[in-house]
Amino acid sequence: MSTHFVIIVAAGTGSRLGGNLPKQFLQLDEKPILMHTLEKFAASQSNPQIVLVLSEQMFALWDELCKEFDFHIPHQVTKGGNSRFQSVKNGIEFIKGSPKLSQESKIAVHDGARPMVSSKLIDELYSTCNVDKPAVIPAVQSTNSVRMGNQDQNHAVDRQMVWLVQTPQLFMSNLLIEAYEQPEENYFTDDASVVEKLSNNLYLLPGDQQNLKITFEEDIAIAQQLFNKIKRYL
């Protein structure tokens, strides 16, 4: 069994009005988005142990979906918190109880709503992360012109210096565990920002433009087009 791990954060509950489901449970290419995400990690050569962080309200739904779609990829489920920081922290606490955790272990943190991540990128991240590069962050350079400031006062920024951060983000286990012992801050928008407060040793690995995060309804349509394109070349 792998001594490496991935925490897949999918604890958002979304709006229940009108029967709406949280985005990670919506269907993409005939199965829930979250299942595609887990499959990418299971298909990677790194094959990390998967820890899925869900809202307790969604435990029963996830069990039902796994039965309905005959989904058997090995994974363990733990409950989420009131924020992304707390959900990742809960995932880390779960991993700390594993006998497979060691100083050499690597822990990835990934958004459940990023089902287009490639197994190739996953493996590149795990192989790049080491004691000399203990925090490896996938990112793509901006292709748009960028301005900083507000509506009234702003200025141009060299877009070659702007990186759009993705997940999964890879960390040596001891670094991530120590980072999440810090108090939560409002500016902790991802795991890189948590680790950055502890250590500035962050390495940016070129990510994948197709590794989109499904945030809006139209993102599902874009992801489906990408799936259709991939299947045409299989």
Side-chain angles (χ1 to χ4, degrees), residues 121 124-125 136-141 163 166 203-209:
L121 177 59
E124 286 178 354
L125 288 160
V136 182
I137 314 301
V140 294
Q141 286 186 295
W163 293 80
Q166 301 179 336
Y203 180 78
L204 295 182
L205 183 80
D208 186 346
Q209 293 285 358

Coordinates of all heavy atoms in Angstrom, one line a residue, residues 121 124-125 136-141 163 166 203-209:
L121 N -0.2 14.8 -14.6 CA 0.2 15.9 -13.7 C 0.3 15.4 -12.3 O 1.2 15.9 -11.6 CB -0.9 17.0 -13.8 CG -0.6 18.2 -12.9 CD1 0.7 18.9 -13.2 CD2 -1.8 19.2 -13.1
E124 N 3.7 13.9 -11.9 CA 4.8 14.9 -11.9 C 4.9 15.6 -10.6 O 6.0 15.9 -10.2 CB 4.5 15.9 -13.1 CG 4.7 15.3 -14.5 CD 4.4 16.3 -15.6 OE1 3.9 17.4 -15.2 OE2 4.6 16.0 -16.7
L125 N 3.8 15.9 -10.0 CA 3.8 16.6 -8.7 C 4.4 15.7 -7.6 O 5.2 16.2 -6.8 CB 2.4 17.0 -8.4 CG 1.8 18.2 -9.2 CD1 0.3 18.2 -9.1 CD2 2.4 19.5 -8.7
V136 N 5.1 21.8 -3.6 CA 5.1 21.9 -5.0 C 3.7 22.3 -5.5 O 2.7 21.5 -5.2 CB 5.5 20.6 -5.7 CG1 5.5 20.8 -7.2 CG2 6.9 20.2 -5.3
I137 N 3.6 23.4 -6.1 CA 2.2 24.0 -6.4 C 2.1 24.1 -8.0 O 2.9 24.7 -8.7 CB 2.1 25.4 -5.9 CG1 2.6 25.5 -4.4 CG2 0.7 25.9 -6.0 CD1 1.9 24.6 -3.5
P138 N 1.0 23.4 -8.5 CA 0.8 23.5 -10.0 C 0.2 24.9 -10.3 O -0.7 25.4 -9.6 CB -0.2 22.4 -10.3 CG -0.9 22.2 -9.0 CD 0.0 22.5 -7.9
A139 N 0.6 25.5 -11.3 CA 0.1 26.8 -11.7 C 0.3 27.1 -13.2 O 1.3 26.5 -13.8 CB 0.8 27.9 -10.9
V140 N -0.5 27.9 -13.8 CA -0.4 28.3 -15.2 C -0.2 29.8 -15.2 O -0.8 30.5 -14.4 CB -1.6 27.8 -16.0 CG1 -1.6 26.3 -16.1 CG2 -2.9 28.3 -15.5
Q141 N 0.5 30.2 -16.2 CA 0.7 31.7 -16.3 C -0.5 32.3 -17.0 O -1.1 31.7 -17.9 CB 2.0 32.0 -17.2 CG 3.3 31.7 -16.4 CD 4.5 32.2 -17.2 OE1 4.8 31.6 -18.3 NE2 5.2 33.2 -16.8
W163 N 0.8 34.0 -11.9 CA 0.5 32.6 -12.0 C -0.9 32.3 -11.4 O -1.2 32.8 -10.3 CB 1.6 31.8 -11.3 CG 2.9 31.9 -11.9 CD1 3.8 32.9 -11.8 CD2 3.5 30.9 -12.7 NE1 5.0 32.6 -12.5 CE2 4.8 31.4 -13.1 CE3 3.1 29.7 -13.2 CZ2 5.7 30.7 -13.9 CZ3 4.0 28.9 -14.0 CH2 5.3 29.4 -14.4
Q166 N -3.4 26.1 -9.2 CA -4.4 25.0 -9.3 C -4.2 24.0 -8.1 O -3.4 24.3 -7.2 CB -4.1 24.2 -10.6 CG -4.3 25.1 -11.8 CD -4.0 24.3 -13.1 OE1 -3.3 23.3 -13.1 NE2 -4.6 24.8 -14.2
Y203 N 7.6 25.8 -4.6 CA 8.0 25.6 -6.0 C 6.8 25.5 -6.9 O 5.9 24.7 -6.7 CB 8.9 24.3 -6.1 CG 9.4 24.0 -7.5 CD1 10.5 24.7 -8.0 CD2 8.7 23.1 -8.3 CE1 11.0 24.4 -9.3 CE2 9.2 22.8 -9.6 CZ 10.3 23.5 -10.1 OH 10.8 23.2 -11.3
L204 N 6.8 26.3 -8.0 CA 5.7 26.3 -9.0 C 6.0 25.4 -10.1 O 7.1 25.5 -10.8 CB 5.5 27.7 -9.5 CG 5.0 28.8 -8.5 CD1 4.7 30.1 -9.2 CD2 3.7 28.3 -7.8
L205 N 5.2 24.4 -10.3 CA 5.3 23.4 -11.4 C 4.3 23.8 -12.4 O 3.1 24.0 -12.1 CB 5.1 22.0 -10.9 CG 5.3 20.9 -11.9 CD1 6.7 20.6 -12.1 CD2 4.5 19.6 -11.5
P206 N 4.6 23.9 -13.7 CA 3.6 24.2 -14.7 C 2.4 23.3 -14.7 O 2.6 22.0 -14.7 CB 4.4 24.1 -16.0 CG 5.8 24.4 -15.7 CD 6.0 23.8 -14.3
G207 N 1.3 23.8 -14.6 CA 0.0 23.0 -14.5 C -0.5 22.7 -15.8 O 0.2 22.7 -16.8
D208 N -1.8 22.6 -15.9 CA -2.5 22.1 -17.1 C -3.7 23.1 -17.3 O -4.6 23.2 -16.4 CB -3.0 20.7 -16.9 CG -3.6 20.1 -18.2 OD1 -3.9 20.9 -19.1 OD2 -3.8 18.9 -18.3
Q209 N -3.8 23.7 -18.4 CA -5.0 24.6 -18.7 C -6.3 23.9 -18.7 O -7.3 24.5 -18.4 CB -4.8 25.2 -20.1 CG -3.6 26.2 -20.2 CD -3.8 27.5 -19.5 OE1 -4.9 27.8 -19.0 NE2 -2.9 28.4 -19.6

